[in-house]
Amino acid sequence: MAITKDTVKYVANLARIELTEKELSHFTGQLDRILDYVHKLKTLDVARLEPTSHVLEMKNIYREDKVKQSLPPSEVMKNAPAKEKDLFKVQKIV
Amino acid sequence: MRELNTLTAHELIALLNIGDISPIDICKGVLDAIKNKDAKLNALVHFDENKVFERVNALAKKDGTKALWGIPIFIKDNICVRDELTTCSSKILDGFCPPYNATVIDKLSQNGAVLMGKTNMDEFAFGSSTETSCYGTTRNPWDLERIPGGSSGGAAACVAADEAIFALGSDTGGSIRQPASLCGVVGLKPTYGRVSRYGLIAFASSLDQIGPVTKDVEDAALLLKVISGHDSMDSTSVNKPVPDYPSLIKRDVKALKIGIPRQYFIEGLDAEVKDSMREAIKRIEDMGCVCEDMDLPHTEFAVSVYYLVATAEASSNLARFDGVQYGLRSKQAKSFIDMYKKTRQIGFGDEAKRRIILGTFALSSGYYDAYYLRALKVRTLIKRDFEDAFKEFDAIITPTSPTPAFRIGEKTQDPLTMYLSDIFTISANLAGIPGVSVPCGFTRDNLPIGLQILGSPFDEETILRIAYNYEQNTDWHKKRPKI
């Protein structure tokens, strides 16, 4: 087994997704099969290789630090599931 | 005269130029086709006829700077259009209307194109069949019992069925090219950095590109020219001049050297696809190209690398869908964190959950080195394979998909089998290179087969030139499904 139910449960919590018991066992089996497949990467010697996180040769992109017009708060807030004035409203955090 | 909805953009532009037709005629033709066909296909997800007429009536006067004046276009549902539903075919973005346009949308509007509506897709582009959409699957116009491919299945199906003139899709691992192949149309994934990703709802930021889905190669060149170019709103967009693709692709292809990678003729490659490929290669040789067998040695590792890298990036990108700022919010939660978890439980479909969990796993402490980092290192090998190949070859030709369109439901129970249907397309995203799929034949069951042409970074011109010349020598792209 590359992955157990407990690991899937742990990772789902990290990802902030609640899973039903059924989903948990279903996903565990499927993820196990996928991880088993990707194990073929272990057959390669990667010790001397640099990772490619990005294909372009990128340097930092700078711009002038100028104030530009941004979207009005009313526009930004219009999709909010709950709001009060120009603030997103959620349950009590602390 | 052929009905207007069946024409290409460049054919319509010619008719508009001589004043034979007006933009409203084109829109009416397209709207009629939608009324006749889309109930069967389910290619469109957000579409409002009245708004289309408003936009046509509001069109600015025609002038020489507007390359697509009066031409209707459909947009994949993961590209932001201001004040229009943009939901990635996911419940979690239910009701979301972005307050801004993607850069490609502004470019289309500046060029006089008429926005029609949004096309169906796999939820967040997670899939190869459009079956993971919260709006139900799109059907393949060549056989309604089959999938159209994915994730841009809605875009490919509506173009193939002449419900559209052309469309914009997005391609993270083949999501433009594979459905184009399975629906018998042309699909182009540009070089990473060629087209701005600003306003494309991110799946895997190092792999995503927006690109055209069209009825022929000339339209792909036309649309690519309009959407390409540097954009200060996307730090990965590259500042290189945009060539005049539509004229450049009409040059001949004599003496171009083309590689045929041995690793793509594998077990599992459908016999009819293989035969079509062989014939297409012969045809391309007759055009004056030199085709030679060659190797891309690390091809067999591409699917593994992709499903670690793409899911890792997706797990991070999709963290923003938490019920706070937009979209769905669970009302059952007892606490703030519980609200996150329950919102994501009801908002995401199975495949989205599976990919977020896989990606989070690959990035999590204790597994990062063994999975994510190792995948990035093997990605270096895949990229090098192509760098070496393009020292010797001008382009590479492969099948786009190992099989023609499969049946609805055939692969939904086994995610790994579904992932393997991307086997020929994902390397291009990992290496950042451009690729185009063009129709190259049909199976005995009358299902389209596609040919993929891959090129070196920012050399869309060469692959489109080969595709254009091939198309001029064949009739595959002229066949249309009867619905």
Side-chain angles (χ1 to χ4, degrees):
Chain A
M1 285 283 276
I3 196 165
T4 61
K5 240 182 184 180
D6 283 345
T7 313
V8 175
K9 209 172 188 172
Y10 168 76
V11 172
N13 179 51
L14 291 178
R16 298 285 186 254
I17 297 177
E18 193 163 296
L19 297 179
T20 62
E21 199 50 44
K22 203 177 148 199
E23 281 176 317
L24 190 61
S25 46
H26 196 53
F27 287 163
T28 304
Q30 289 174 331
L31 292 171
D32 190 56
R33 229 169 87 67
I34 296 165
L35 290 174
D36 190 50
Y37 177 81
V38 305
H39 268 185
K40 68 162 72 177
L41 296 180
K42 300 236 150 122
T43 61
L44 290 166
D45 179 11
V46 298
R48 286 157 199 265
L49 289 170
E50 287 294 316
T52 298
S53 56
H54 218 276
V55 290
L56 301 168
E57 279 175 38
M58 297 253 298
K59 298 191 186 90
N60 282 332
I61 312 275
Y62 295 102
R63 62 166 169 79
E64 290 291 307
D65 189 15
K66 275 190 194 154
V67 178
K68 283 195 208 162
Q69 203 177 356
S70 49
L71 289 167
S74 60
E75 282 291 299
V76 177
M77 298 303 297
K78 72 180 178 185
N79 283 293
K83 58 188 162 185
E84 210 171 294
K85 291 171 190 160
D86 282 340
L87 302 166
F88 295 106
K89 195 174 173 184
V90 292
Q91 279 158 307
K92 194 174 159 191
I93 295 175
V94 281
Chain B
M1 196 170 73
R2 282 157 65 202
E3 289 172 46
L4 295 181
N5 60 302
T6 66
L7 302 185
T8 63
H10 64 88
E11 287 167 339
L12 291 167
I13 290 166
L15 293 175
L16 286 165
N17 282 343
I18 53 172
D20 270 11
I21 56 166
S22 72
I24 202 93
D25 300 331
I26 305 173
C27 279
K28 279 181 181 162
V30 170
L31 292 170
D32 280 348
I34 291 168
K35 276 179 201 146
N36 291 333
K37 298 175 190 173
D38 205 58
K40 288 180 201 158
L41 291 180
N42 193 32
L44 311 180
V45 291
H46 308 303
F47 170 67
D48 180 342
E49 191 176 313
N50 294 329
K51 281 190 181 170
V52 171
F53 283 117
E54 272 171 37
R55 291 188 196 116
V56 183
N57 291 327
L59 259 184
K61 256 202 168 151
K62 190 177 168 194
D63 70 47
T65 66
K66 296 186 175 65
L68 301 176
W69 187 80
I71 309 294
I73 186 162
F74 275 97
I75 309 295
K76 187 176 179 180
D77 195 29
N78 58 353
I79 299 174
C80 288
V81 180
R82 188 170 53 230
D83 296 333
E84 300 295 330
L85 285 170
T86 300
T87 62
C88 292
S89 295
S90 176
K91 264 197 278 185
I92 208 159
L93 272 173
D94 187 35
F96 177 65
C97 293
Y100 64 93
N101 273 337
T103 297
V104 291
I105 299 300
D106 281 338
K107 282 176 179 273
L108 288 173
S109 298
Q110 283 153 17
N111 277 277
V114 179
L115 299 178
M116 298 294 287
K118 299 312 230 4
T119 58
N120 203 5
M121 56 185 281
D122 280 295
E123 181 179 13
F124 285 103
F126 296 156
S128 314
S129 66
T130 316
E131 287 167 290
T132 68
S133 165
C134 75
Y135 304 113
T137 188
T138 296
R139 286 162 188 275
N140 190 312
W142 293 92
D143 179 347
L144 299 175
E145 299 306 310
R146 290 176 190 268
I147 57 97
S151 64
S152 312
C158 74
V159 172
D162 287 323
E163 280 184 22
I165 307 304
F166 53 17
L168 277 189
S170 70
D171 190 315
T172 305
S175 281
I176 288 174
R177 291 161 287 156
Q178 184 256 18
S181 166
L182 270 41
C183 289
V185 294
V186 175
L188 170 72
K189 180 201 96 73
T191 307
Y192 185 80
R194 176 77 287 185
V195 178
S196 169
R197 293 183 294 112
Y198 179 68
L200 169 67
I201 297 177
F203 159 7
S205 306
S206 81
L207 306 166
D208 297 340
Q209 268 289 287
I210 295 171
V213 179
T214 59
K215 292 175 195 173
D216 71 5
V217 177
E218 190 167 346
D219 269 11
L222 184 67
L223 192 47
L224 177 66
K225 191 186 169 192
V226 167
I227 61 172
S228 291
H230 180 246
D231 177 17
S232 59
M233 298 302 279
D234 172 5
S235 62
T236 63
S237 115
V238 174
N239 200 350
K240 273 189 197 284
V242 178
D244 185 36
Y245 299 113
S247 65
L248 291 169
I249 60 164
K250 294 183 179 171
R251 297 184 303 153
D252 72 52
V253 291
K254 289 205 171 57
L256 284 184
K257 205 171 160 196
I258 293 173
I260 316 290
R262 291 185 186 93
Q263 289 76 10
Y264 282 61
F265 289 83
I266 48 162
E267 208 184 312
L269 176 63
D270 180 272
E272 290 183 278
V273 174
K274 197 171 168 181
D275 290 347
S276 287
M277 278 298 300
R278 295 279 177 221
E279 266 177 52
I281 292 165
K282 244 185 268 163
R283 190 63 66 102
I284 288 166
E285 282 175 329
D286 291 343
M287 285 155 37
C289 295
V290 180
C291 296
E292 245 176 55
D293 289 342
M294 45 83 78
D295 293 298
L296 293 167
H298 298 94
T299 300
E300 66 164 306
F301 300 103
V303 173
S304 299
V305 171
Y306 178 81
Y307 279 94
L308 291 170
V309 172
T311 57
E313 293 187 26
S315 71
S316 164
N317 275 325
L318 270 64
R320 60 172 62 90
F321 302 106
D322 57 7
V324 175
Q325 298 171 71
Y326 31 62
L328 190 76
R329 177 186 292 186
S330 165
K331 295 190 171 67
Q332 310 299 322
K334 291 183 196 75
S335 69
F336 182 58
I337 298 290
D338 200 35
M339 187 279 284
Y340 281 171
K341 288 186 177 178
K342 289 209 157 66
T343 298
R344 289 160 70 81
Q345 178 181 37
I346 57 170
F348 289 133
D350 257 19
E351 184 59 21
K353 286 178 192 163
R354 207 155 30 232
R355 292 205 192 191
I356 292 169
I357 291 169
L358 178 58
T360 307
F361 172 79
L363 288 174
S364 63
S365 169
Y367 298 103
Y368 181 94
D369 286 0
Y371 290 97
Y372 182 63
L373 188 61
R374 179 170 282 265
L376 290 184
K377 289 180 172 180
V378 181
R379 184 178 181 185
T380 304
L381 294 174
I382 291 167
K383 186 167 176 255
R384 274 190 208 157
D385 280 357
F386 284 101
E387 284 163 359
D388 292 344
F390 289 122
K391 282 177 195 153
E392 205 182 327
F393 296 95
D394 297 298
I396 291 170
I397 285 181
T398 79
T400 308
S401 164
T403 65
F406 42 91
R407 289 184 187 283
I408 290 170
E410 192 177 321
K411 298 189 181 185
T412 43
Q413 291 312 307
D414 183 3
L416 186 58
T417 318
M418 185 71 89
Y419 297 175
L420 290 169
S421 58
D422 297 338
I423 194 159
F424 297 151
T425 46
I426 56 184
S427 296
N429 302 77
L430 293 170
I433 61 172
V436 63
S437 178
V438 286
C440 73
F442 284 82
T443 65
R444 280 184 296 273
D445 295 336
N446 206 31
L447 296 172
I449 299 169
L451 169 84
Q452 177 176 239
I453 311 172
L454 301 172
S456 59
F458 296 97
D459 194 12
E460 283 81 1
E461 186 223 310
T462 299
I463 59 171
L464 287 172
R465 182 149 59 104
I466 297 165
Y468 178 81
N469 278 272
Y470 175 73
E471 200 178 67
Q472 293 300 304
N473 281 284
T474 56
D475 282 330
W476 306 119
H477 64 292
K478 290 184 182 152
K479 285 188 75 174
R480 283 286 165 267
K482 290 186 188 73
I483 305 163

